Amino acid sequence: MNISLTVDNTQQVSQTLSRFAGLSGDEVAKQSVSPTRELTADHFFAYGNNPANKNKFKVTPTGYWNKAGQATKSSSSGDTINIIVDEKGTPGLVGVRRHYTGGGTIKPSGRISEITQKPIQYLTIPINGAAHGKTVAMMKALGVDLYRKGSALFAKSGNTRSDSDTAMFALKKSIGPQTPNPAIIPTPQQYFETVALVVKNLTDPD
Amino acid sequence: MTNPRAEEYFRGKRVLPTELRTREFARLPLWVKEQSFFMAGVMDAELAGAFQRASQAVLDGTMGEAEATRIIREGLAKSGYKPEPGQEGTIKDLTTVHRQLINLRTNVALANGWVNDVNRRKSANIQPALKLVRGRNADEPRLWTQKLWPEAVAASGSKASPDRMAALIDDPIWLYLSDFGVPYTPLKWGSGMNQVAVFKSQAREWGLLPPKGKPPEVKPPESLNSTLEVTTSITDPAERNKLLDKLDGLAVFSKDKLVFTDPNGSRPWPVPVLANLLPRQNVDGTENYQKRALREWRNLGGDAAAMSAMEKEFSGTDLLDDWNMLVRRVTTAERIQTTTALVDALANLVSLVL
């Protein structure tokens, strides 16, 4: 899933600046494509690097926000700049939009599981640091032997199941709703200031 | 304004079986690294190809990492790969999922890094510098500010400050820091550090650009790779031709050297050589930039007046840089002394190329 934002304040900038520099809104938007991408990516990097946003398991971070920054792309169309977090092709980067907008209940898609070859009925929620940032398929690829017991997936600690096995994933029919978190992206004011800096640097002679 | 695509860039890579280790490979010319897919010490093209296909599937978004490792396992089984004695289970063992994931993730990150680098270079007129920032915490972070950066400033010929991790986009420090010999992130295996572009005004404040009113020294444009060449031990003509075929016009042999033709750059070549070089498409399938510039010159009249018109018409654009590099390489190679002779040479090139 992608998050797509339109920074539509270039018009305001261009109206002010066009009188001085003869820059059109389209030109300002075109020149702002890369700088607004950089602002967004930098924001993701800083967000992910903030100790307050550490994962709850206190284990090695998966670099979710780092990936979001690296996968941030931008383009312009007329006087509009579009900033997209391109989740396709970035493993482990899912749901950036949901972080931003929040949202209702998440349920299993019902698609056919690569592992069981049956429709997926449960969401698998990591409940152990060893499973943090990993899918069930990844745990299997890593050689972890998982089995279901009640409403959780356990990892075998030996060749057979035992009471000392550790629960890795909780099985849930649904989760949510998620609280919106607008702080994951820069504020409109930061975008505005960046576009203003673009114009300043464009019109600033060396 | 659209983005180049990471998956398309990666699709253009060709498998290069090599005995080189990553550090040795990093010393090869940038164009070789960007156009080839290699794995340290992997001579089996089929096996390297399996890793490439897995990375491509991830970049295309058609497979997750876990599923992509299946392609790799199949490739390993098919090739009969066995880790070197003593390396079983280590990071050098290709059968370990850990190694496979590092490879996949590094390939994805480098492809994204390439895209960001291309876009930043387009905006270098307003954001000419980069700062290095951490985007992911690490259990044992490398000593970037205390050690790696200051050491690289001293050793690379960088003009950056040892105290602030920022440098101009073309500063040699980026290549120096990279394990992969490319000027963009990731610079190290598994690194959580990223480049972020910096505005011209900020770069000036940080001393990366000269103070306002004091223009930087202007040099005729010269491409980054204009002098690249490597000495090779390949003497067999058939092998040489095979390699040249693979390189698709990007290099020629000159005695024992493989010389980069620099299709869009400033390496001097006489008109007949350029007439072969310019019609070739760029790796991404677009038209050679200098051919495009040559056409614009012809459209403006293809004479001495058109030389000045190019400056006026395309001021501040990449096309003017392309044009100036073309003029520079023709002038140097043909030892041209007068404008008339230059116009004649360029007109000759027009007749051969357009």
Side-chain angles (χ1 to χ4, degrees):
Chain A
M1 187 170 296
N2 296 334
I3 183 168
S4 177
L5 307 165
T6 302
V7 182
D8 57 4
N9 51 12
T10 56
Q11 196 60 44
Q12 190 183 340
V13 176
S14 67
Q15 278 171 0
T16 312
L17 269 296
S18 61
R19 279 178 283 155
F20 300 101
L23 291 168
S24 68
D26 288 13
E27 182 62 16
V28 173
K30 192 175 156 191
Q31 297 286 348
S32 302
V33 164
S34 185
T36 49
R37 190 211 80 83
E38 297 291 317
L39 170 72
T40 313
D42 196 16
H43 189 88
F44 284 138
F45 297 144
Y47 189 86
N49 200 30
N50 184 341
N53 300 323
K54 264 192 169 174
N55 64 73
K56 63 185 174 189
F57 300 112
K58 307 271 187 280
V59 295
T60 305
T62 59
Y64 180 89
W65 296 108
N66 192 50
K67 288 177 191 171
Q70 290 174 347
T72 301
K73 310 280 162 54
S74 58
S75 61
S76 70
S77 170
D79 65 357
T80 299
I81 305 158
N82 297 304
I83 300 163
I84 294 167
V85 181
D86 194 359
E87 294 176 0
K88 176 177 156 278
T90 309
L93 185 64
V94 182
V96 176
R97 180 199 287 270
R98 281 191 74 85
H99 278 279
Y100 178 66
T101 60
T105 307
I106 303 175
K107 291 180 177 174
S109 64
R111 71 175 169 81
I112 303 298
S113 161
E114 289 160 20
I115 298 168
T116 63
Q117 301 301 316
K118 292 176 186 167
I120 294 172
Q121 297 181 51
Y122 294 97
L123 300 168
T124 48
I125 313 300
I127 50 174
N128 185 295
H132 176 60
K134 298 185 183 79
T135 60
V136 172
M138 179 55 72
M139 293 289 276
K140 293 228 171 208
L142 288 165
V144 180
D145 198 353
L146 295 168
Y147 66 92
R148 182 178 172 186
K149 189 165 102 183
S151 57
L153 292 180
F154 283 74
K156 275 188 197 168
S157 48
N159 289 333
T160 54
R161 297 177 185 186
S162 79
D163 290 343
S164 60
D165 293 344
T166 313
M168 291 288 169
F169 296 93
L171 297 172
K172 303 246 183 187
K173 283 281 188 188
S174 66
I175 57 163
Q178 196 167 359
T179 313
N181 183 3
I184 65 161
I185 62 166
T187 62
Q189 179 64 22
Q190 286 174 301
Y191 281 113
F192 180 85
E193 285 168 6
T194 298
V195 176
L197 269 174
V198 168
V199 177
K200 178 176 178 272
N201 279 268
L202 269 175
T203 54
D204 182 24
D206 291 316
Chain B
M1 191 170 175
T2 53
N3 281 298
R5 304 285 311 177
E7 64 271 30
E8 293 306 324
Y9 159 68
F10 196 79
R11 210 183 311 285
K13 284 177 174 274
R14 294 174 189 192
V15 173
L16 183 63
T18 176
E19 287 178 327
L20 298 178
R21 311 308 307 178
T22 305
R23 266 286 171 196
E24 296 160 338
F25 190 82
R27 293 193 201 111
L28 293 180
L30 186 60
W31 64 271
V32 174
K33 288 172 287 199
E34 292 194 328
Q35 291 175 31
S36 58
F37 179 85
F38 93 106
M39 291 181 60
V42 175
M43 281 295 290
D44 185 332
E46 279 293 325
L47 180 53
F51 274 85
Q52 188 190 30
R53 286 195 302 282
S55 303
Q56 185 71 57
V58 170
L59 274 164
D60 286 340
T62 55
M63 280 188 187
E65 285 177 335
E67 207 182 346
T69 59
R70 188 168 41 81
I71 298 180
I72 296 172
R73 284 197 299 277
E74 285 167 6
L76 287 164
K78 207 170 162 186
S79 73
Y81 169 84
K82 291 268 185 296
E84 297 287 325
Q87 291 184 353
E88 298 91 344
T90 70
I91 194 66
K92 291 184 176 174
D93 179 355
L94 301 180
T95 63
T96 64
V97 177
H98 186 51
R99 165 65 192 261
Q100 294 163 7
L101 290 176
I102 283 183
N103 188 284
L104 286 175
R105 287 170 185 168
T106 303
N107 288 333
V108 169
L110 281 170
N112 278 320
W114 176 85
V115 169
N116 291 334
D117 186 63
V118 168
N119 287 329
R120 286 184 188 124
R121 284 172 197 279
K122 286 183 196 162
S123 289
N125 59 326
I126 45 178
Q127 292 194 309
L130 303 169
K131 61 179 178 177
L132 194 62
V133 300
R134 181 166 285 286
R136 176 171 51 78
N137 284 305
D139 290 337
E140 292 177 32
R142 294 179 173 96
L143 301 173
W144 281 97
T145 49
Q146 307 93 319
K147 190 169 184 290
L148 292 179
W149 184 268
E151 282 181 4
V153 167
S156 66
S158 168
K159 290 181 179 164
S161 160
D163 303 321
R164 178 183 283 111
M165 293 201 292
L168 293 178
I169 195 165
D170 280 331
D171 193 285
I173 198 165
W174 303 117
L175 273 173
Y176 182 87
L177 282 169
S178 172
D179 279 350
F180 313 104
V182 293
Y184 41 83
T185 53
L187 297 170
K188 306 278 179 200
W189 289 103
S191 173
M193 301 299 285
N194 295 280
Q195 292 162 319
V196 175
V198 171
F199 278 109
K200 187 165 60 179
S201 43
Q202 181 73 78
R204 195 176 279 134
E205 270 180 42
W206 287 350
L208 299 171
L209 287 172
K212 220 168 160 182
K214 189 182 170 196
E217 190 186 337
V218 178
K219 288 192 285 189
E222 184 167 359
S223 55
L224 192 65
N225 298 326
S226 65
T227 57
L228 285 178
E229 52 191 34
V230 283
T231 305
T232 165
S233 55
I234 304 171
T235 51
D236 177 38
E239 286 298 313
R240 282 187 166 207
N241 285 336
K242 217 157 82 182
L243 180 60
L244 291 180
D245 269 356
K246 281 209 164 206
L247 293 172
D248 198 20
L250 288 169
V252 291
F253 274 101
S254 173
K255 297 182 181 165
D256 64 338
K257 285 191 168 62
L258 189 61
V259 177
F260 179 44
T261 53
D262 202 12
N264 280 299
S266 57
R267 181 187 278 273
W269 291 113
V271 167
V273 177
L274 288 173
N276 279 325
L277 210 55
L278 267 51
R280 290 177 186 273
Q281 289 185 328
N282 295 323
V283 177
D284 60 3
T286 56
E287 184 180 37
N288 178 284
Y289 304 138
Q290 294 185 3
K291 183 182 172 190
R292 198 166 56 189
L294 187 67
R295 182 183 299 110
E296 293 297 342
W297 177 71
R298 183 197 63 184
N299 293 346
L300 287 170
D303 54 13
M307 305 282 290
S308 320
M310 289 291 285
E311 295 282 342
K312 200 174 164 188
E313 190 79 17
F314 299 105
S315 171
T317 66
D318 290 345
L319 190 134
L320 186 61
D321 282 346
D322 300 328
W323 170 248
N324 284 333
M325 276 198 275
L326 177 63
V327 169
R328 175 196 172 108
R329 72 200 312 187
V330 171
T331 306
T332 308
E334 301 279 355
R335 298 171 191 273
I336 286 170
Q337 304 285 333
T338 65
T339 307
T340 312
L342 177 60
V343 169
D344 286 348
L346 290 168
N348 186 16
L349 191 56
V350 166
S351 68
L352 294 168
V353 171
L354 298 176

